Amino acid sequence: MTPHECGMITRMEDISPRPLAIIKLGETFDTLRERRGDFEHWMAAGLGNTRLPVVVLDPRRGDTLPRPAEISGAIVSGSHAMVSHREPWSEATGAWLAQLVASRTPVLGICFGHQLLAHALGGEAGDHPGGMEIGTVEVELTPEAAADPLMHDLPPRFDAHVVHRQSALRLPAGAVRLAGNDFERTQAFRIGENAWGVQFHPEFDADIMRGYVDHLAEPLRAEGVDPAALRDRVAGTATAARLLGRFAHIAEEHDAAAHPGRS
């Protein structure tokens, strides 16, 4: 289902299953996109065998963001933009995310999306005082993750891919911190019942992560970081990758609850 087709439906909330929306707020580097596709392709592939139709919407180009009742859930992509710059499209998307959270519509914000979700609900996003975190890093769950619908049975520590200069510096009131590490205190959080932010990239595989390290090699060297050593430490992140499929299942359950007796 395309954004144009969605616009032709008068009451999309009556359609079952309702689409899962990928909100595209950025794109990867040209050389990587030519070889591997872009954020939306990686996220869609990570969803696995979901029964939900997937629609990609880009508010930067003027796509209309649907009403909460019209979708089963939303995944908000990363971006090379910065939440703290408060671009009009970013602020408008943040206001829409607040509506989704209020309506209990499942949300998963990734990297920029994670920071935007925190900002939109009253937290703060900005430059991390330690600079850039990039590569394959270990993430540690908090005790609160044991009861979380998305993360409840993950191992207490697992590897994940990261690349970011900004962070969710302060979480919104009522948010539950779910994961962190020595560099980034908030690698994951939940706000409300069905909204999550993850600073790491569950949609990245090792090849994509190496592509980011290679592309950013010069600025990394300028900061005294050895990109070759980072590249050598890139590893598989199968546990982190599972989160996309888990989120798709949560969105399926949310859609099914809106249409009991229908499949």
Side-chain angles (χ1 to χ4, degrees), residues 75-162:
I75 303 175
V76 187
S77 81
S79 178
H80 297 169
M82 300 292 178
V83 172
S84 63
H85 292 173
R86 300 196 175 184
E87 299 281 355
W89 57 264
S90 177
E91 293 292 283
T93 304
W96 177 74
L97 288 176
Q99 294 176 23
L100 296 188
V101 174
S103 70
R104 302 180 182 178
T105 302
V107 173
L108 177 63
I110 297 173
C111 196
F112 181 95
H114 158 91
Q115 298 160 21
L116 182 60
L117 181 64
H119 164 68
L121 274 295
E124 179 186 2
D127 292 344
H128 191 289
M132 179 184 288
E133 183 184 36
I134 180 170
T136 307
V137 302
E138 186 178 69
V139 171
E140 182 175 0
L141 297 181
T142 66
E144 289 76 13
D148 182 74
L150 185 65
M151 299 190 172
H152 63 93
D153 62 351
L154 296 183
R157 294 179 179 83
F158 58 90
D159 286 343
H161 298 312
V162 296

Side-chain angles (χ1 to χ4, degrees), residues 94 163 257:
V163 52

